[in-house]
Amino acid sequence: MLRTKDIIFISLISIKFILQYIIVDPSYELHRDEFLHLDQADHLAFGYLSVPPFTSWTSLMIKWLGGGIFWVRFFPALFGAITVALVWQLTGYLKGGLFAQILAAAGLIFSALLRLNILYQPNSADILFWTACFFCLVRYFQTENTKFLYLAGVFIGVGMLNKYNIIFCVAGLLPGILLTQQRKVLAKKEIYIAAGIALIIFLPNLIWQIQQGFPVFGHMRELSERQLVNVKPIDFIKDQILFFLGSIYIWVCGLFALLLYKPFDKYRWLGLSYVFSIAIFLLLNAKGYYSIGLYPVLFSFGAIFIEAKTNSGWARKFRYVLAFIPILVLIPVCELIFPLLSPPEIKARNEKFAALGLLRWEDGKNHDLPQDFADMLGWKELAAEVDKVYSSIPEKEKTLVFCDNYGQAGAINFYSKHKSLQAVSFNADYKKWFPWKMEIKHVIRVKEKDDDDDLAKEKSLFQTVTITGSITNSAAREFGTRVIFLNNATSDITQVLKEELNERVVQ
């Protein structure tokens, strides 16, 4: 028979799953990044230009399960639920009572984790692996059972196969441990065996990076030049507050307790690790969400600290109210944080969104919608326009669908009704998947809006060039993207495309 504690835990995890499906307005589609990750299932490898291989394996499972929207959203929800479950368990292992477990779990569920777990990206798994690593290390220093060191090595290794961001977890941990009494673990061979386990797990991707000339550095350089350059330290700090707006008191208490609360002396390395990791992120102008993996474990310690300080008198009678604060704070702002409102409704409330900096995109400018929301619009319309042209072509096997960016290519592959159609691009991983052996007679060109482009080059290579449609949804980031039918090639298009790709590589 289930105990009360078990019923509460199952209820909280169920709420977590249900919320991930109901906080997205039906007017939104999948996000541009999700399409790229889903297409990786058809191109399995030990590495990609954009991410390590873990996400492709999850994409393969989604494909086996039917590839529907339900399963695309299921896995980030699952990773988020497991993160909550680990925090619940860790709180119990640290002698926290039912109140502390509920407080820690509620603080996590009703936070930015709810928004992040909407999208099928490496971020949800990244936070899970950070949390699992901290969980294992806390358990090791609590029990001195070396299996937890080895498990930490496993989670760091698998985490590196998911997203390189977890290296900052290690970068913060090392000085944190060195500055505390727990540094004696560095004299034990088991810690190096754990490091070896992590390296062996990560090795296939490392070999792939070496073989490909370390494309990760090029990706990081591009990220720094185009996106991180617009990130200011104050924006990063503001994000740390906004991510857990309703539950900030829990993690702040956790950090305070880890650094100054005597019963947690054994775990002071964890508080120092947070400080060092945040400092590194600030120095690198990192995006705010890179650090979210630091927080779940802080909720365990913060909840236990609050429980200990409210364990008598009137405070004990009313302390469960604290578990509802994250919900009460989130309700008034939930329409600002989650895609609950349709684009017209957001435009009508632009001032509220702008005040929180939610309309600022990676280009440093304000727009009508938050960038993530704008990236979830226009894709079905684009695929329908491409399908309309593709259906009219008798020589489909000689027709190339060529796009400007990975979002366009992935969205067409996902939403197209033609299974024989495979859109490609010279952007991101798609340039590795280009069908160079294909005989190209016709091209369906998907081109970003460019008022100065008169299609002169295309007209010189084909008998006819016809703009057949465009994305008309003004709220979409891809608004104005055109679909152009290039009919009957008069030149060797494959050779032309190879030359174009070579020019981009040189640039």
Side-chain angles (χ1 to χ4, degrees), residues 93-212:
Y93 283 132
L94 291 168
K95 308 303 180 184
L98 179 59
F99 166 72
Q101 289 180 302
I102 292 173
L103 184 62
L108 268 184
I109 291 172
F110 299 99
S111 71
L113 211 63
L114 198 57
R115 172 169 167 173
L116 192 142
N117 293 153
I118 292 171
L119 301 177
Y120 178 62
Q121 297 175 336
N123 301 318
S124 293
D126 185 49
I127 294 169
L128 170 58
F129 292 131
W130 281 60
T131 304
C133 175
F134 288 134
F135 177 97
C136 290
L137 290 175
V138 169
R139 290 290 286 147
Y140 169 74
F141 288 117
Q142 183 183 40
T143 66
E144 295 193 359
N145 188 332
T146 54
K147 76 175 183 181
F148 290 112
L149 282 181
Y150 301 149
L151 283 172
V154 169
F155 288 122
I156 290 174
V158 178
M160 285 290 289
L161 291 179
N162 172 70
K163 191 174 183 181
Y164 304 122
N165 188 52
I166 200 170
I167 196 68
F168 297 110
C169 169
V170 178
L173 277 170
L174 288 175
I177 291 174
L178 276 169
L179 291 174
T180 62
Q181 292 182 353
Q182 279 62 46
R183 58 180 170 269
K184 61 186 178 182
V185 72
L186 299 176
K188 295 185 176 183
K189 66 178 182 180
E190 288 82 4
I191 192 70
Y192 300 102
I193 294 174
I197 291 171
L199 178 60
I200 290 170
I201 293 173
F202 174 60
L203 192 58
N205 181 248
L206 179 60
I207 293 172
W208 182 89
Q209 285 285 344
I210 294 171
Q211 291 174 336
Q212 302 295 321

Side-chain angles (χ1 to χ4, degrees), residues 307-348:
E307 182 180 61
K309 297 302 179 181
T310 59
N311 204 29
S312 61
W314 66 268
R316 182 179 177 87
K317 295 179 181 179
F318 297 101
R319 65 182 181 181
Y320 274 93
V321 174
L322 295 173
F324 288 94
I325 291 178
I327 305 173
L328 296 175
V329 172
L330 192 62
I331 288 174
V333 298
C334 63
E335 65 181 24
L336 301 173
I337 299 172
F338 310 117
L340 282 165
L341 300 178
S342 66
E345 290 172 325
I346 292 177
K347 289 181 181 180

Side-chain angles (χ1 to χ4, degrees), residues 223-232 285 360 362:
L223 186 68
S224 178
E225 292 173 353
R226 297 189 180 185
Q227 298 180 21
L228 300 186
V229 68
N230 295 313
V231 179
K232 300 176 182 178
N285 285 343
R360 190 181 184 207
E362 290 171 346

Side-chain angles (χ1 to χ4, degrees), residues 436-481:
W436 293 113
K437 296 181 180 180
M438 175 182 176
E439 181 185 351
I440 302 172
K441 186 174 181 180
H442 314 287
V443 174
I444 299 175
R445 184 75 169 90
V446 178
K447 200 171 182 65
E448 295 172 2
K449 185 177 181 180
D450 185 355
D451 294 331
D452 296 326
D453 184 0
D454 61 359
L455 302 175
K457 181 178 180 180
E458 285 84 353
K459 289 177 181 178
S460 68
L461 300 173
F462 295 86
Q463 288 185 6
T464 60
V465 176
T466 308
I467 299 175
T468 62
S470 66
I471 294 180
T472 59
N473 187 340
S474 61
R477 190 177 174 192
E478 290 282 340
F479 171 60
T481 291

Side-chain angles (χ1 to χ4, degrees), residues 364-377:
K365 301 176 182 177
N366 276 8
H367 297 264
D368 288 337
L369 264 65
Q371 181 170 309
D372 278 346
F373 298 178
D375 275 333
M376 298 166 71
L377 295 168

Side-chain angles (χ1 to χ4, degrees), residues 396-452:
K396 292 180 174 54
E397 72 282 359
K398 297 181 181 180
T399 302
L400 177 72
V401 180
F402 183 52
C403 306
D404 270 356
N405 63 59
Y406 67 85
Q408 299 163 352
I412 292 167
N413 291 337
F414 186 82
Y415 286 117
S416 174
K417 296 178 181 179
H418 297 278
K419 299 304 177 185
S420 61
L421 182 155
Q422 286 296 309
V424 293
S425 173
F426 283 159
N427 184 226
D429 297 293
Y430 287 94
K431 60 187 175 186
K432 291 283 186 179
W433 307 334
F434 211 91
W436 293 113
K437 296 181 180 180
M438 175 182 176
E439 181 185 351
I440 302 172
K441 186 174 181 180
H442 314 287
V443 174
I444 299 175
R445 184 75 169 90
V446 178
K447 200 171 182 65
E448 295 172 2
K449 185 177 181 180
D450 185 355
D451 294 331
D452 296 326

